[in-house]
Amino acid sequence: MARNKIALIGSGMIGGTLAHVAAREELGDVILFDIAEGLPQGKGLDIAESTPVYGASVNLKGVNDYAGIAGADVCIVTAGVPRKPGMSRDDLLGINLKVMKAVGEGIKAHAPNAFVICITNPLDAMVWALQKFSGLPTEKVVGMAGVLDSSRFAYFLSEKTGVSVADIHAWTLGGHGDDMVPMVRHSTVGGLPLTQLVAQGWMSQAELDAIVERTRKGGGEIVNLLKTGSAYYAPAESAIAMAKSYLADQKRVLPVASYCSGQYGLKDMYVGVPTLIGAGGAEKIVEFDFNADEKAMFDKSVASVNGLIEACKGIDPSLA
Ligand code: APR
């Protein structure tokens, strides 16, 4: 069987990390694409020169032409600009929407059968626009945010409780913004829901509330530390987990920005929901039961995403 082909649209900090992880894990041959000349070629060659050290039988190539992504099985999109301190993800909307138009057209022309994972922010609006611009089936275009936010949530819970991250199952739903919805009742540490953890004295309610708040602001915490850009290791690993579930038909249920067509009462929008990812792409959305508080938080997050989608339509009337 031929090797998988992974196309990385954007070869900056996340794109380069994706290429490295995909090569090390032998996910397939890697094409790095970027508008910056030399950047994808340089990163591709550097990583290719590392493959003999760990014996990964994959090829890497950098390109500045969309023809290079032809026949890709997976496209992971990070093209655009990241935030700097003081910026919200929403501040990136105008610039990155134009980038999504170019990327969507490139994928439509050269890799229409790919499974597309968008990482560019503001995530939920950008993946919505990318699906429209590319015209690919909605189940083949998804956004990466929830795996990252949930991983941050799980890490903070592990740090607090001393329980291995391997035994923590954390969920965040909703949009990838500061009003995302960390799901306290549905997340577990060693099988115990977080509400029980508080009842049993593992941590106080105030400590749990602080972890929820830190999760919501997790991206900003990294931006403030790095000062020159945003997180890239954890976002890259999160997208690779999604790509693997598609390529190997693992059928993992992951928090993914998926197209909702009635699920959770939503129509024609992308937002973070538990999604089964297999060979068919986003095969099924799992519907959690919300209590009144969770529903109110989810609705608020959805309203923010809808505001961004409306802003996209205002900037580019072809999306309306
Ligand atoms: N087509 C292809 N690549 C582009 C385009 C375009 N139209 N416009 C910009 N790029 C490239 C840049 O040249 C750069 O190499 O996108 C890359 C982005 O890389 P970084 O600036 O290092 O940003 P990164 O940290 O990788 O984040 C990328 O993901 O998490 C989000 O908010 C983040 O939107 C940002 C994106």
Side-chain angles (χ1 to χ4, degrees), residues 45-64:
L45 181 58
D46 188 9
I47 297 167
E49 289 170 354
S50 77
T51 56
V53 179
Y54 43 85
S57 305
V58 293
N59 298 321
L60 294 104
K61 193 174 164 211
V63 299
N64 298 115

mmCIF file of all heavy atoms in Angstrom, residues 45-64:
data_model
loop_
_atom_site.group_PDB
_atom_site.id
_atom_site.type_symbol
_atom_site.label_atom_id
_atom_site.label_comp_id
_atom_site.label_asym_id
_atom_site.label_seq_id
_atom_site.Cartn_x
_atom_site.Cartn_y
_atom_site.Cartn_z
ATOM 1 N N LEU A 45 13.853 19.905 4.680
ATOM 2 C CA LEU A 45 15.181 19.297 4.541
ATOM 3 C C LEU A 45 15.792 18.999 5.911
ATOM 4 O O LEU A 45 16.362 17.919 6.133
ATOM 5 C CB LEU A 45 16.091 20.235 3.731
ATOM 6 C CG LEU A 45 17.516 19.729 3.462
ATOM 7 C CD1 LEU A 45 17.484 18.394 2.712
ATOM 8 C CD2 LEU A 45 18.305 20.778 2.661
ATOM 9 N N ASP A 46 15.658 19.935 6.830
ATOM 10 C CA ASP A 46 16.211 19.744 8.182
ATOM 11 C C ASP A 46 15.611 18.482 8.828
ATOM 12 O O ASP A 46 16.333 17.624 9.367
ATOM 13 C CB ASP A 46 15.891 20.992 9.023
ATOM 14 C CG ASP A 46 16.582 21.013 10.381
ATOM 15 O OD1 ASP A 46 17.456 20.158 10.633
ATOM 16 O OD2 ASP A 46 16.246 21.902 11.195
ATOM 17 N N ILE A 47 14.295 18.349 8.742
ATOM 18 C CA ILE A 47 13.638 17.175 9.352
ATOM 19 C C ILE A 47 14.007 15.906 8.573
ATOM 20 O O ILE A 47 14.282 14.857 9.175
ATOM 21 C CB ILE A 47 12.114 17.379 9.432
ATOM 22 C CG1 ILE A 47 11.798 18.567 10.346
ATOM 23 C CG2 ILE A 47 11.419 16.118 9.966
ATOM 24 C CD1 ILE A 47 10.359 19.068 10.262
ATOM 25 N N ALA A 48 14.050 16.005 7.236
ATOM 26 C CA ALA A 48 14.430 14.830 6.428
ATOM 27 C C ALA A 48 15.825 14.341 6.838
ATOM 28 O O ALA A 48 16.073 13.127 6.921
ATOM 29 C CB ALA A 48 14.401 15.170 4.945
ATOM 30 N N GLU A 49 16.706 15.284 7.126
ATOM 31 C CA GLU A 49 18.073 14.910 7.518
ATOM 32 C C GLU A 49 18.135 14.288 8.905
ATOM 33 O O GLU A 49 19.153 13.720 9.290
ATOM 34 C CB GLU A 49 18.985 16.148 7.434
ATOM 35 C CG GLU A 49 19.264 16.570 5.988
ATOM 36 C CD GLU A 49 19.949 17.927 5.848
ATOM 37 O OE1 GLU A 49 20.131 18.624 6.871
ATOM 38 O OE2 GLU A 49 20.286 18.292 4.709
ATOM 39 N N SER A 50 17.016 14.402 9.648
ATOM 40 C CA SER A 50 16.979 13.760 10.973
ATOM 41 C C SER A 50 16.438 12.336 10.886
ATOM 42 O O SER A 50 16.614 11.550 11.816
ATOM 43 C CB SER A 50 16.122 14.582 11.947
ATOM 44 O OG SER A 50 14.735 14.395 11.702
ATOM 45 N N THR A 51 15.756 11.977 9.791
ATOM 46 C CA THR A 51 15.082 10.674 9.741
ATOM 47 C C THR A 51 16.038 9.478 9.816
ATOM 48 O O THR A 51 15.678 8.462 10.421
ATOM 49 C CB THR A 51 14.155 10.547 8.498
ATOM 50 O OG1 THR A 51 14.929 10.801 7.315
ATOM 51 C CG2 THR A 51 12.990 11.499 8.572
ATOM 52 N N PRO A 52 17.278 9.557 9.249
ATOM 53 C CA PRO A 52 18.171 8.403 9.400
ATOM 54 C C PRO A 52 18.530 8.125 10.864
ATOM 55 O O PRO A 52 18.783 6.980 11.245
ATOM 56 C CB PRO A 52 19.416 8.808 8.605
ATOM 57 C CG PRO A 52 18.907 9.787 7.595
ATOM 58 C CD PRO A 52 17.843 10.560 8.329
ATOM 59 N N VAL A 53 18.497 9.176 11.702
ATOM 60 C CA VAL A 53 18.874 8.994 13.111
ATOM 61 C C VAL A 53 17.895 8.050 13.811
ATOM 62 O O VAL A 53 18.292 7.170 14.568
ATOM 63 C CB VAL A 53 18.926 10.354 13.850
ATOM 64 C CG1 VAL A 53 19.297 10.148 15.310
ATOM 65 C CG2 VAL A 53 19.880 11.316 13.171
ATOM 66 N N TYR A 54 16.588 8.228 13.536
ATOM 67 C CA TYR A 54 15.602 7.368 14.190
ATOM 68 C C TYR A 54 14.966 6.368 13.235
ATOM 69 O O TYR A 54 14.049 5.641 13.597
ATOM 70 C CB TYR A 54 14.539 8.199 14.947
ATOM 71 C CG TYR A 54 14.008 9.416 14.229
ATOM 72 C CD1 TYR A 54 12.962 9.345 13.330
ATOM 73 C CD2 TYR A 54 14.574 10.670 14.479
ATOM 74 C CE1 TYR A 54 12.480 10.476 12.683
ATOM 75 C CE2 TYR A 54 14.105 11.804 13.835
ATOM 76 C CZ TYR A 54 13.058 11.712 12.935
ATOM 77 O OH TYR A 54 12.584 12.840 12.297
ATOM 78 N N GLY A 55 15.456 6.359 11.988
ATOM 79 C CA GLY A 55 15.038 5.318 11.053
ATOM 80 C C GLY A 55 13.605 5.415 10.579
ATOM 81 O O GLY A 55 12.929 4.398 10.427
ATOM 82 N N ALA A 56 13.126 6.632 10.338
ATOM 83 C CA ALA A 56 11.753 6.787 9.815
ATOM 84 C C ALA A 56 11.803 6.799 8.286
ATOM 85 O O ALA A 56 12.506 7.614 7.691
ATOM 86 C CB ALA A 56 11.120 8.072 10.330
ATOM 87 N N SER A 57 11.054 5.890 7.660
ATOM 88 C CA SER A 57 11.069 5.775 6.203
ATOM 89 C C SER A 57 9.993 6.662 5.595
ATOM 90 O O SER A 57 8.952 6.183 5.133
ATOM 91 C CB SER A 57 10.845 4.318 5.797
ATOM 92 O OG SER A 57 11.797 3.502 6.423
ATOM 93 N N VAL A 58 10.215 7.958 5.653
ATOM 94 C CA VAL A 58 9.265 8.906 5.054
ATOM 95 C C VAL A 58 10.044 9.991 4.313
ATOM 96 O O VAL A 58 11.206 10.256 4.633
ATOM 97 C CB VAL A 58 8.365 9.583 6.115
ATOM 98 C CG1 VAL A 58 7.435 8.572 6.755
ATOM 99 C CG2 VAL A 58 9.190 10.296 7.183
ATOM 100 N N ASN A 59 9.401 10.581 3.329
ATOM 101 C CA ASN A 59 9.995 11.697 2.599
ATOM 102 C C ASN A 59 9.353 13.002 3.059
ATOM 103 O O ASN A 59 8.159 13.033 3.367
ATOM 104 C CB ASN A 59 9.760 11.547 1.089
ATOM 105 C CG ASN A 59 10.422 10.290 0.548
ATOM 106 O OD1 ASN A 59 11.527 9.951 0.960
ATOM 107 N ND2 ASN A 59 9.739 9.596 -0.343
ATOM 108 N N LEU A 60 10.140 14.066 3.050
ATOM 109 C CA LEU A 60 9.599 15.395 3.343
ATOM 110 C C LEU A 60 10.020 16.334 2.232
ATOM 111 O O LEU A 60 11.157 16.262 1.752
ATOM 112 C CB LEU A 60 10.139 15.938 4.675
ATOM 113 C CG LEU A 60 9.699 15.176 5.917
ATOM 114 C CD1 LEU A 60 10.801 14.309 6.443
ATOM 115 C CD2 LEU A 60 9.212 16.141 6.997
ATOM 116 N N LYS A 61 9.093 17.215 1.853
ATOM 117 C CA LYS A 61 9.397 18.146 0.775
ATOM 118 C C LYS A 61 8.706 19.475 1.048
ATOM 119 O O LYS A 61 7.531 19.484 1.467
ATOM 120 C CB LYS A 61 8.876 17.540 -0.535
ATOM 121 C CG LYS A 61 9.384 18.219 -1.771
ATOM 122 C CD LYS A 61 8.933 17.460 -3.012
ATOM 123 C CE LYS A 61 9.098 18.361 -4.213
ATOM 124 N NZ LYS A 61 8.123 18.108 -5.238
ATOM 125 N N GLY A 62 9.411 20.576 0.815
ATOM 126 C CA GLY A 62 8.802 21.895 0.969
ATOM 127 C C GLY A 62 8.427 22.471 -0.386
ATOM 128 O O GLY A 62 9.183 22.320 -1.355
ATOM 129 N N VAL A 63 7.275 23.124 -0.465
ATOM 130 C CA VAL A 63 6.815 23.697 -1.733
ATOM 131 C C VAL A 63 6.171 25.074 -1.501
ATOM 132 O O VAL A 63 5.740 25.396 -0.396
ATOM 133 C CB VAL A 63 5.777 22.783 -2.442
ATOM 134 C CG1 VAL A 63 6.371 21.425 -2.777
ATOM 135 C CG2 VAL A 63 4.525 22.595 -1.581
ATOM 136 N N ASN A 64 6.145 25.885 -2.572
ATOM 137 C CA ASN A 64 5.436 27.171 -2.531
ATOM 138 C C ASN A 64 4.281 27.188 -3.532
ATOM 139 O O ASN A 64 3.724 28.242 -3.817
ATOM 140 C CB ASN A 64 6.400 28.321 -2.854
ATOM 141 C CG ASN A 64 7.529 28.438 -1.857
ATOM 142 O OD1 ASN A 64 8.705 28.235 -2.205
ATOM 143 N ND2 ASN A 64 7.209 28.752 -0.618
#
